[in-house]
């Protein structure tokens, strides 16, 4: 009798676990959809801002502001305390936690603003351009305002309630677009880029208090608790930012500010769509993994599903962006940005392939293995710096791009495969086996588009660019999706893959539609 009762209890527990898993998964899926819509809107507005400003300003203007932005990005990363992640990681958040997070954020903002102002004079001397003094001083307002935001705003992310977050971020990008374009139209000045960024920060900070009212209070009571979790994330982000941005300062000096400006525009465009696809899911994965971190089997299954789905998107976006780079840049930016075309063709596929390791960051944070992330990033930095330096020094822009392909493609893949194995126990084959359909589909798409494009006439007008862009996207999309689905069906309709996830969503929609009572004809 005891055995039967034990079996009943196990079945009930399994059923409850399954219901809980399904509930978390459904909430994560809804959150991902909301964020995906928001990020698509944000990236569309950002792209529109870049397109319009590229018509009104020069590559030199972009390069000038990009130097200041690169410095700010590194400073933000070096001092990033990951307070939001630390709060999400806490099972219960106290008032002391909020007060401490606000205090640390405010102090950091003031210090960063001061460092930016001083650094402007140093950069002006280094690059021989006094305009950098004003640029850095203007950008210094951003960390100052961001550090004064409401710490309670993070609750939306912790509870996977991203509707307000998506609205706030969308408003930020909209304000940035309006201010930047208006300023550029009226003044034809690089200050338009700075003004738009500052305006977005003002609105963003105000929105955090409107959505999550909070009375600021200075406190350090939860200092050790928050820093204990976030210290390795801080070091990881600091090293990562240095590794990803140090080449900007070298390129700005060795290639010239104008060429660097075109390189920066191409680099940002290459990551624009890729990041639109992955950012919503990565932001959802951390709190989702945190809820199931005690169950290794569920973690492995969830990780493989997210890995497979993300790579399916990353391959399509990365390879597709490289294929349409020439007509897209001609149509969006004009015929005077050939450097941007080359950058997109090389960098976009690399960024797309890196998506497969995106869930590793979220999983490591959920498991508390933040030190492992730091060690990984430090190792990547040790490889990337000499590779990029040698490529840029001896071969200029082509060498820089090739070195980034080597360090960002080969080295990053090898290191991350090892990290994923340590975190989940998934072998090399376990990780690659969930991506093979995307590899085959991507190769098929590339072969078809390049084959058809070989006989096409050179692009010499906006009409030619629009036509080429339309047929490349249409044909490439049909081939990629068609091959993907065909391989999924022939392979036995695996439960791990983006096809299975889409099928589940469509099935739920169909079932809901069938439940709606149909009106009988009169």
């Amino acid at each position: 009798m005891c055995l039967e009762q034990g079996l009943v209890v196990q079945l009930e527990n399994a059923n409850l676990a399954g219901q809980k898993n399904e509930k978390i998964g459904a909430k994560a899926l809804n959150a991902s959809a909301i964020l995906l819509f928001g990020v698509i809107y944000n990236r569309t507005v950002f792209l529109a801002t870049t397109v319009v400003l590229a018509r009104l300003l020069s590559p030199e203007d972009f390069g000038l502001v990009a130097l200041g932005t690169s410095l700010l990005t590194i400073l933000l990363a070096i001092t990033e305390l990951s307070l939001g992640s630390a709060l999400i990681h806490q099972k219960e958040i106290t008032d002391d936690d909020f007060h401490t997070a606000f205090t640390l954020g405010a102090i950091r903002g003031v210090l960063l603003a001061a460092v930016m102002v001083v650094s402007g004079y140093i950069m002006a001397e280094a690059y021989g351009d006094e305009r950098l003094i004003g640029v850095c001083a203007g950008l210094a307002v951003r960390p100052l305002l961001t550090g004064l935001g409401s710490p309670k705003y993070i609750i939306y992310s912790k509870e996977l309630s991203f509707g307000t977050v998506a609205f706030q971020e969308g408003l930020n990008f909209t304000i940035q677009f309006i201010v930047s374009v208006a300023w550029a139209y009226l003044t034809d000045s690089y200050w338009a880029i700075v003004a738009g960024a500052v305006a977005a920060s003002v609105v963003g900070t105000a929105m955090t208090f409107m959505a999550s009212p909070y009375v600021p209070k200075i406190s350090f009571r939860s200092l050790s608790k928050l820093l204990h979790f976030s210290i390795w994330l801080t070091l990881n982000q600091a090293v990562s930012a240095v590794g990803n941005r140090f080449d900007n300062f070298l390129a700005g000096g060795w290639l010239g500010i104008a060429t660097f400006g075109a390189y920066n525009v191409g680099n940002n465009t290459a990551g624009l769509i890729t990041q639109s696809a992955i950012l919503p899911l990565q932001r959802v994965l951390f709190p989702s993994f945190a809820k199931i971190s005690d169950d290794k089997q569920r973690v492995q299954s969830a990780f493989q599903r997210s890995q497979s789905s993300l790579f399916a998107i990353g391959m399509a976006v990365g390879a597709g962006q490289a294929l349409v780079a020439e007509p897209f840049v001609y149509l969006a930016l004009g015929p005077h940005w050939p450097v941007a075309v080359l950058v997109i063709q090389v960098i976009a596929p690399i960024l797309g392939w890196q998506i497969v390791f995106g869930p590793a960051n979220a999983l490591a944070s959920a498991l508390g293995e933040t030190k492992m992330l730091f060690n990984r990033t430090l190792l990547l930095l040790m490889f990337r710096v000499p590779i990029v330096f040698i490529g840029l020094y001896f071969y200029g822009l082509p060498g820089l791009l090739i070195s980034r392909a080597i360090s960002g493609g080969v080295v990053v893949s090898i290191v991350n495969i090892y990290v994923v194995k340590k975190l989940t126990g998934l072998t090399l084959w376990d990780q690659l086996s969930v991506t093979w359909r995307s590899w085959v589909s991507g190769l098929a798409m590339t072969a078809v588009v390049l084959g058809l494009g070989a006989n096409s006439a050179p692009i010499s007008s906006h009409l030619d660019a629009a036509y080429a862009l339309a047929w490349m996207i249409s044909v490439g999309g049909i081939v990629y999706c068609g091959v993907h689905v065909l391989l999924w069906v022939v392979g036995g309709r695996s439960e791990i893959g983006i096809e299975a996830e889409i099928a589940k969503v469509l099935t739920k929609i169909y079932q809901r539609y069938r439940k709606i009572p149909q009106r009988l004809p009169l």
Side-chain angles (χ1 to χ4, degrees):
M1 188 66 179
C2 292
L3 180 61
E4 293 177 356
Q5 290 177 345
L7 180 59
V8 171
V9 171
Q10 290 179 15
L11 290 174
E12 290 178 347
N13 289 340
N15 184 45
L16 290 173
Q19 292 177 352
K20 185 176 181 181
N21 188 36
E22 183 177 355
K23 184 177 180 181
I24 294 174
K27 195 170 184 180
L29 183 62
N30 292 335
S32 298
I34 293 173
L35 273 181
L36 181 60
F37 175 80
V39 173
I40 289 176
Y41 173 80
N42 297 342
R43 297 299 177 176
T44 301
V45 175
F46 181 81
L47 178 61
T49 304
T50 302
V51 169
V52 175
L53 292 181
R55 302 281 180 172
L56 298 174
L57 305 177
S58 66
E60 184 178 357
D61 293 327
F62 280 92
L64 187 68
V65 179
L67 286 173
T69 303
S70 297
L71 174 62
L72 178 59
T73 300
I74 291 178
L75 292 175
L76 287 171
I78 291 176
T79 60
E80 175 58 59
L81 300 177
S82 299
L83 299 174
S85 297
L87 291 175
I88 290 176
H89 188 70
Q90 303 298 320
K91 298 297 182 182
E92 298 292 337
I93 307 177
T94 66
D95 288 339
D96 286 336
D97 295 337
F98 286 126
H99 296 326
T100 303
F102 174 81
T103 302
L104 295 177
I107 293 174
R108 170 176 175 259
V110 172
L111 293 178
L112 281 180
V115 173
M116 279 294 295
V117 172
V118 174
S119 298
Y121 290 91
I122 299 175
M123 292 184 67
E125 182 68 23
Y127 290 93
D129 196 326
E130 293 186 354
R131 293 177 297 176
L132 285 167
I133 297 176
V135 169
C136 290
L139 292 174
V141 179
R142 295 189 62 189
L144 181 63
L145 292 173
T146 303
L148 297 176
S150 170
K152 291 188 176 182
Y153 192 69
I154 197 64
I155 293 178
Y156 289 104
S157 296
K158 181 177 178 63
E159 299 300 327
L160 298 178
S161 301
F162 286 105
T164 302
V165 177
F167 174 79
Q168 183 251 351
E169 292 179 352
L171 181 61
N172 289 355
F173 278 92
T174 302
I175 294 297
Q176 184 172 4
F177 171 80
I178 294 173
V179 173
S180 295
V181 171
W183 199 298
Y185 180 79
L186 294 174
T187 66
D188 292 327
S189 170
Y190 59 88
W191 276 104
I193 306 175
V194 178
V198 172
S201 298
V202 173
V203 173
T205 300
M207 278 293 298
T208 63
F209 281 95
M210 294 176 63
S212 304
Y214 168 75
V215 178
K217 181 180 178 180
I218 304 300
S219 175
F220 295 95
R221 290 184 178 180
S222 296
L223 180 63
S224 60
K225 181 169 66 172
L226 296 182
L227 293 185
H228 176 73
F229 173 82
S230 64
I231 184 62
W232 291 111
L233 283 179
T234 299
L235 294 174
N236 173 66
Q237 293 179 11
V239 175
S240 179
V242 173
N244 292 332
R245 295 281 181 169
F246 85 95
D247 54 302
N248 284 359
F249 298 105
L250 298 180
W254 289 351
L255 301 179
I257 292 182
T259 301
F260 167 66
Y263 164 81
N264 191 68
V265 169
N267 188 56
N268 289 340
T269 304
L272 189 64
I273 303 178
T274 306
Q275 295 302 309
S276 299
I278 190 176
L279 281 179
L281 294 176
Q282 281 191 326
R283 292 171 65 176
V284 172
L285 286 175
F286 173 34
S288 299
F289 281 141
K291 294 178 183 296
I292 62 173
S293 58
D294 295 332
D295 191 329
K296 185 176 181 179
Q297 187 174 358
R298 290 172 67 188
V299 167
Q300 287 183 335
S301 177
F303 187 88
Q304 282 192 300
R305 289 199 304 271
S306 60
Q307 197 176 42
S308 176
S309 298
L310 285 174
F311 190 67
I313 298 172
M315 173 60 77
V317 172
Q321 225 179 334
L323 292 172
V324 304
E326 183 180 2
F328 172 79
V329 171
Y330 192 104
L331 188 64
L333 306 181
H336 306 299
W337 294 80
V339 172
V341 174
L342 180 61
V343 173
I344 295 173
Q345 289 174 336
V346 176
I347 300 302
I350 303 301
L351 296 179
W353 300 338
Q354 288 179 357
I355 284 183
V356 73
F357 303 111
N361 293 337
L363 179 59
S365 298
L367 297 177
E369 296 288 347
T370 52
K371 184 177 180 179
M372 184 181 296
L373 290 181
F374 168 73
N375 292 334
R376 178 205 62 181
T377 306
L378 183 61
L379 181 61
L380 291 176
L381 177 66
M382 293 171 62
F383 278 99
R384 190 175 191 272
V385 170
I387 292 175
V388 170
F389 182 84
I390 292 173
L392 180 60
Y393 182 80
F394 287 102
Y395 303 103
L397 179 61
L400 172 61
L401 297 177
I402 293 174
S403 62
R404 285 193 59 185
I406 295 173
S407 61
V410 179
V411 177
V412 166
S413 297
I414 294 174
V415 173
N416 276 291
I417 286 173
Y418 173 78
V419 169
V420 171
K421 182 179 179 181
K422 293 286 290 184
L423 289 173
T424 65
L426 295 171
T427 64
L428 171 63
W429 173 248
D430 291 331
Q431 297 178 54
L432 295 180
S433 63
V434 297
T435 64
W436 72 272
R437 292 193 299 274
S438 299
W439 282 107
V440 175
S441 302
L443 291 174
M445 174 182 68
T446 302
V448 172
V449 172
L450 290 180
L452 295 176
N455 298 321
S456 301
I459 297 175
S460 58
S461 67
H462 285 83
L463 183 61
D464 293 340
Y467 173 74
L469 189 63
W471 79 257
M472 285 182 175
I473 292 177
S474 300
V475 173
I478 292 173
V479 172
Y480 185 84
C481 295
V483 173
H484 225 292
V485 173
L486 178 63
L487 294 175
W488 179 63
V489 173
V490 173
R493 301 174 186 267
S494 172
E495 287 296 319
I496 297 178
I498 193 171
E499 306 93 341
E501 301 299 328
I502 294 176
K504 291 177 183 177
V505 173
L506 294 178
T507 299
K508 288 183 179 180
I509 294 175
Y510 175 71
Q511 291 175 345
R512 289 181 181 178
Y513 174 77
R514 290 194 62 185
K515 291 180 181 179
I516 299 176
Q518 302 295 319
R519 292 185 178 181
L520 296 175
L522 298 177

